[in-house]
Amino acid sequence: MPLYTLTTQAGVLSHEAKAKLADDLATFHADYSGVPKEWVQVVFQDYAAGNGFTAGKPSAVAALILQIRTGRSAEYKRGMVQRLWEFVQQATRASDNQIVIGVNEVPPSQAMEMGKIMPEIGK
Amino acid sequence: MPLYTLTTQAGVLSHEAKAKLADDLATFHADYSGVPKEWVQVVFQDYAAGNGFTAGKPSAVAALILQIRTGRSAEYKRGMVQRLWEFVQQATRASDNQIVIGVNEVPPSQAMEMGKIMPEIGK
Amino acid sequence: MPLYTLTTQAGVLSHEAKAKLADDLATFHADYSGVPKEWVQVVFQDYAAGNGFTAGKPSAVAALILQIRTGRSAEYKRGMVQRLWEFVQQATRASDNQIVIGVNEVPPSQAMEMGKIMPEIGK
């Protein structure tokens, strides 16, 4: 944790764009959260053209799901998703109605990282 | 949000079946929830034959994960997943033991759609 | 439910390794939880080499997300993820900084299995 999963249509992000975005996300996350950059995992899931839909019509949906530990304030998470939106939109050039971002929270006791049960936030 | 992610074995759903199901889901969701159809995102994730297992045996598992905002009643969600089950089973022809459906809830403050932090339900 | 989704770089797990791991997970889960082995669904999601990143650098990240019903104790979940870590690491040979495991919980009222809304834990 954190685990970023960015799902986009194949071809939207080049290898170079993915590498840049992964590094931008890791750097941003470490700065924003205070956790080591080494904890930040990013996986890009590409789907074939024709597998994304907005309002029931074909669309290059870009969906970012972020898994973090519970314990952060609403303000912290609000600020985070707003910044993530900018990263995703800049990299994918998707329009506002094609992007969705959600933060899933997992209690530290039920997540592992680096071979250890995650500590509570701030511990 | 909502974001529907339907994971099926490659070949189970044709392009036409996906397009029909995506439109059915978007129409159903807008009707059932009262949110604009434009908010409904659907992504199909295909996995290669041999990558799905039920009870440890190869199986064309069909898994639908739906991300919505927190704030709906248990009755609302129960009715929704029952209807979604029918959609998935009709489209995939999967047997009862190959389908799994789950609804994940994300607090509006930690989700964005259309470039904005999501409003609370009913706002 | 439970639904195991194991995301790894293509080539890390052979067909044989996936079949063995899927059966190991189903057997373990049934033993540990007391639910029928038939309920255990496993899907492997492969991503192309170059799509995984740790600390912003290319990395064969192995991410296991497990969806279960709410209602288990923290101790139950802690013991479970520790055992799952061993399974994943043994199968993938990933190093500690490439593995992430998280357990997502879904209230039984908003999940279906075998054509039925899930019962509460222990019911």
Side-chain angles (χ1 to χ4, degrees), chain B residues 6 16-17 26 67 74 83 86 97 101 103-104 118 123:
Chain B
L6 180 56
E16 293 70 29
Q67 296 234 358
R83 191 70 191 86
E86 297 169 3
N97 70 340
I101 296 182
V103 176
N104 283 339
M118 296 291 288
K123 294 275 170 71

Side-chain angles (χ1 to χ4, degrees), chain B residues 91-108:
Chain B
T92 63
R93 306 279 171 185
S95 63
D96 277 347
N97 70 340
Q98 295 179 302
I99 300 176
V100 57
I101 296 182
V103 176
N104 283 339
E105 293 175 293
V106 178

